[in-house]
Amino acid sequence: MTETNHAEASEQRGLNFVEEIVVDDLKAGKNDGRLQTRFPPEPNGYLHIGHAKAICMDFGIAEKYGGTCNLRLDDTNPIKEDTEYVEAIKEDIQWLGFKWGNIYHASDYFQQLWDFAIRLIKEGKAYVDEQTSEQIAEQKGTPTQPGTPSPFRDRPIEENLALFEKMNSGEAEEGSMVLRAKLDMANPNMHFRDPIIYRIINKEHHRTGSKWKAYPMYDFAHGQSDYFEGVTHSICTLEFVPHRPLYDHFIDELKEGKDLEDHRPRQIEFNRLNLTYTVMSKRKLLALVKEGLVNGWDDPRMPTLCGFRRRGYSPEAIRKFIDMIGYTKFDALNDFAMLEAAVREDLNARAIRVSAVLNPVKLVITNYPEGQTEELETVNNPENAEDGTHTITFSRELWIEREDFMEVAPKKYFRLTPGNEVRLKSAYIVKCTGCKKDGQGNVTEVYCEYDPESKSGMPGSDRKVKGTLHWVSCGHCLPAEVRLYDRLFSVENPGADERDFRELLNPDSLKVLKDCYVEEFAATKKPLDYLQFQRIGYFTMDKDSTDGHLVFNRTASLKDTWSKKNK
Ligand code: ATP
Ligand code: MG
């Protein structure tokens, strides 16, 4: 079956094409019926939502079919790696709800890989090249033109062994020489044109210290690590398709040509996750952090898992989204709005409803006795009765949204305007009687009268009025800072744009509102509790929040106002 047919057939069975392969292999009794996968991040940055797609596949498929998924830290380049990232990676995987079998490190195989390289040199299958990287690149040829052999290609084995030792001892300078596999300078697959398999890096490794100076390249480490661990299905992204023959080649060498179909990891590739209005490259994300263009890896505008977590996304919503987009063999750009839709759907079911006023103006209920207060009961979550209720205090002076009053209103304005009636959520129906303005004509207070017979829940109180407004009591609320987040980039596909990605940042991606009020109950919540500010959107308390200075992040607006705004 061709791959496309295969993908179509699996869809009919409700399985994605990777599952289909795994199921077939298990049925055929391959690998003694074992299923072992790995998630192999390089600890050179924080995990982003693209990694979540790989995590859901690697861990998810093992979980579903009774296998194991290990966490392998692909730490073969000490220049960019750090233990800070290792810890963050573990936290994020657990947050998504997955458990690894073992934790492995590619650096644990440095000795085995070194020994393997020595063997290849001794068998005349690898050589030390002392040309510059530019010279080596020039000799690679093109897909239609064969490459030119290096003048060092046929140097004596003893010389290669001695130089390879020097690469690792510190005697040879960084960049002065590399070890290359002697394969085929005319192979149509460019990866076979004597790939570099070791280079010198003079930097302490976060796990092996200064023991090694010669470090294996990805292509010489990844497949072998899979093989050493007993991985059965090595699932990765499409850019590794052209590497697959090399992956197989080194494993065949390692097995010395024996039992080639036996216990051999199989590489399977799926499409990367790309999201509109953001970037997924760790290099670019690191630059945003280092250059202070965002406030750290967990800035709620970042596509990192810690950023989404801080913003108030739930792990379930992210997994739901990954499920929705699925796994295919074709690269695509996924719509950020689809992720937000998954987040809204999830939060609608779980968020606790509270009242907050972001742009306050005072509402005075002139016929409500001064000094009187009432405790009103309000539902925590209409989607889930088990979430219960809490009380909110009502009084003569309330904060309402400035947008909820207009002195002269258009016809279909169902909020406060003189003569009009609205319900105050969980409280009374009030009728607007007017307002007070300052010298510049700005409204400073809105006036109304309440109907004592209209208290929510009272018999006969359900007289129809068109609008319901949220409010907080001036004497029973807390000041808060509210951070509104929008798309990080102002173009749909910043990765494909010719301009520098820094020029494409959305200047309005963060708006800070300093003079907001939240009901007291909201302050009893913790960072990561899921909240809905009624009529406004989904919010969560930020980690910067203190008792004296509450800070909330907007997770998502209630509706997708964004796609309309931009079309
Ligand atoms: P970068 O090239 O930006 O450094 P990477 O892809 O090399 O990122 P790794 O840490 O090597 O990052 O990735 C670990 C695993 O996550 C790999 O198997 C990789 O294929 C997968 N992965 C990374 N980015 C995505 C993505 N956008 N969509 C799906 N899987 C991804
Ligand atoms: Mg990588």
Side-chain angles (χ1 to χ4, degrees):
M1 230 193 296
T2 66
E3 259 160 9
T4 320
N5 286 340
H6 207 109
E8 278 166 12
S10 358
E11 236 163 69
Q12 283 161 15
R13 280 168 53 175
L15 302 180
N16 65 50
F17 76 97
V18 184
E19 288 182 298
E20 186 84 13
I21 294 172
V22 165
V23 166
D24 287 350
D25 284 354
L26 288 174
K27 262 198 213 140
K30 280 198 190 161
N31 306 295
D32 306 325
R34 271 188 330 109
L35 169 61
Q36 185 178 322
T37 59
R38 84 287 168 269
F39 172 62
E42 182 175 359
N44 62 354
Y46 283 66
L47 297 182
H48 51 59
I49 191 158
H51 291 114
K53 179 170 180 181
I55 290 171
C56 289
M57 169 57 80
D58 295 330
F59 286 91
I61 206 163
E63 215 170 84
K64 184 163 174 190
Y65 297 100
T68 328
C69 178
N70 298 311
L71 171 59
R72 157 137 35 88
L73 295 150
D74 238 344
D75 53 354
T76 55
N77 180 358
I79 295 177
K80 295 186 269 170
E81 295 161 7
D82 197 279
T83 44
E84 172 198 345
Y85 300 131
V86 174
E87 292 314 310
I89 287 168
K90 291 185 198 166
E91 186 183 348
D92 289 344
I93 296 171
Q94 287 170 318
W95 177 69
L96 277 179
F98 293 107
K99 281 201 188 78
W100 50 81
N102 286 308
I103 299 185
Y104 294 124
H105 298 84
S107 56
D108 287 339
Y109 313 127
F110 282 167
Q111 186 65 51
Q112 277 160 285
L113 293 170
W114 171 267
D115 294 343
F116 180 39
I118 295 275
R119 203 188 92 200
L120 292 181
I121 296 174
K122 285 185 177 162
E123 292 172 359
K125 292 172 180 168
Y127 60 97
V128 172
D129 195 335
E130 290 174 77
Q131 300 183 97
T132 63
S133 52
E134 290 78 23
Q135 285 170 317
I136 293 175
E138 272 166 29
Q139 293 162 0
K140 273 254 147 146
T142 67
T144 49
Q145 270 180 316
T148 317
S150 159
F152 297 100
R153 199 170 198 261
D154 293 313
R155 73 194 321 164
I157 288 174
E158 287 313 315
E159 208 173 295
N160 280 320
L161 286 172
L163 287 172
F164 191 42
E165 286 295 342
K166 280 192 182 167
M167 280 179 63
N168 199 41
S169 65
E171 278 170 83
E173 262 179 57
E174 220 173 272
S176 64
M177 53 185 83
V178 292
L179 185 70
R180 296 176 72 179
K182 195 193 273 188
L183 293 176
D184 176 6
M185 288 304 290
N187 199 299
N189 182 336
M190 303 284 284
H191 294 281
F192 269 74
R193 297 191 183 172
D194 291 11
I196 296 172
I197 57 175
Y198 264 90
R199 80 277 210 211
I200 306 168
I201 300 174
N202 261 314
K203 174 131 198 286
E204 289 264 312
H205 186 281
H206 70 278
R207 293 189 76 246
T208 58
S210 53
K211 180 160 184 221
W212 302 95
K213 303 238 171 343
Y215 287 92
M217 300 292 289
Y218 176 89
D219 280 328
F220 197 68
H222 199 89
Q224 288 95 306
S225 304
D226 284 345
Y227 176 69
F228 295 144
E229 290 167 9
V231 167
T232 59
H233 297 81
S234 179
I235 308 165
C236 61
T237 37
L238 286 174
E239 71 273 22
F240 291 103
V241 169
H243 296 249
R244 195 198 316 144
L246 195 55
Y247 176 102
D248 289 339
H249 172 82
F250 284 129
I251 294 172
D252 291 353
E253 282 285 354
L254 202 55
K255 289 168 75 66
E256 301 186 72
K258 289 179 220 132
D259 309 319
L260 285 188
E261 282 316 306
D262 190 31
H263 299 292
R264 174 189 218 278
R266 170 170 185 184
Q267 180 179 300
I268 307 165
E269 311 85 5
F270 65 81
N271 63 328
R272 288 178 88 83
L273 168 58
N274 300 301
L275 262 193
T276 53
Y277 301 100
T278 192
V279 294
M280 228 53 105
S281 141
K282 277 193 267 185
R283 179 180 62 79
K284 290 179 185 167
L285 295 176
L286 179 67
L288 292 175
V289 173
K290 284 262 155 86
E291 295 168 27
L293 298 167
V294 295
N295 303 312
W297 284 99
D298 67 348
D299 185 304
R301 290 167 295 179
M302 290 280 271
T304 50
L305 294 178
C306 55
F308 283 134
R309 176 163 67 235
R310 184 170 172 191
R311 183 162 173 167
Y313 284 26
S314 70
E316 290 82 1
I318 290 176
R319 289 175 66 160
K320 173 94 192 275
F321 167 67
I322 303 281
D323 235 37
M324 281 158 68
I325 59 173
Y327 296 86
T328 74
K329 283 266 177 199
F330 311 98
D331 272 317
L333 187 60
N334 296 108
D335 197 345
F336 202 103
M338 199 164 156
L339 171 59
E340 286 196 314
V343 168
R344 282 191 193 99
E345 191 185 320
D346 176 75
L347 292 181
N348 181 46
R350 67 168 80 228
I352 299 296
R353 273 61 169 174
V354 298
S355 293
V357 175
L358 304 194
N359 183 18
V361 67
K362 191 175 279 184
L363 176 71
V364 182
I365 304 160
T366 49
N367 64 338
Y368 194 85
E370 268 183 63
Q372 179 173 310
T373 61
E374 275 173 88
E375 301 274 294
L376 305 172
E377 193 170 34
T378 174
V379 169
N380 283 338
N381 179 0
E383 302 293 320
N384 183 14
E386 281 172 26
D387 284 336
T389 60
H390 70 274
T391 58
I392 181 166
T393 309
F394 188 76
S395 69
R396 181 183 155 91
E397 295 194 351
L398 311 175
W399 293 117
I400 59 164
E401 300 288 351
R402 196 163 273 283
E403 301 81 68
D404 284 341
F405 170 76
M406 274 180 101
E407 197 178 13
V408 183
K411 241 190 178 163
K412 288 197 171 162
Y413 186 78
F414 300 124
R415 302 182 230 176
L416 284 171
T417 185
N420 200 30
E421 275 193 329
V422 299
R423 174 169 292 284
L424 296 174
K425 175 88 185 150
S426 309
Y428 295 94
I429 292 174
V430 296
K431 183 180 209 162
C432 185
T433 53
C435 68
K436 183 166 112 186
K437 289 190 270 190
D438 65 13
Q440 280 89 53
N442 300 313
V443 174
T444 53
E445 279 182 358
V446 178
Y447 301 113
C448 70
E449 287 175 356
Y450 86 119
D451 170 1
E453 304 303 313
S454 66
K455 187 170 174 174
S456 290
M458 255 171 49
S461 71
D462 50 356
R463 174 154 61 83
K464 281 267 170 303
V465 287
K466 284 229 165 99
T468 300
L469 306 187
H470 64 276
W471 53 272
V472 295
S473 163
C474 296
H476 307 88
C477 67
L478 295 160
E481 174 181 325
V482 171
R483 299 175 183 168
L484 304 179
Y485 300 102
D486 203 339
R487 304 288 193 266
L488 184 52
F489 287 89
S490 48
V491 298
E492 201 169 51
N493 191 359
D497 203 287
E498 277 168 15
R499 290 165 288 179
D500 185 88
F501 68 98
R502 294 167 188 84
E503 292 172 38
L504 310 173
L505 287 166
N506 174 7
D508 300 319
S509 61
L510 169 62
K511 229 181 262 158
V512 180
L513 307 177
K514 298 268 189 194
D515 306 308
C516 312
Y517 293 105
V518 296
E519 65 166 295
E520 285 168 332
F521 179 68
T524 64
K525 297 290 156 190
K526 304 182 300 299
L528 307 190
D529 283 345
Y530 306 112
L531 301 178
Q532 184 192 102
F533 288 180
Q534 300 188 84
R535 294 179 64 229
I536 305 176
Y538 296 101
F539 288 78
T540 191
M541 191 183 271
D542 189 73
K543 66 172 191 183
D544 288 346
S545 202
T546 61
D547 284 348
H549 182 77
L550 298 175
V551 182
F552 292 89
N553 294 325
R554 181 171 70 192
T555 310
S557 54
L558 280 187
K559 284 195 200 105
D560 182 8
T561 49
W562 210 87
S563 50
K564 257 183 262 150
K565 191 167 76 189
N566 284 273
K567 267 160 200 164

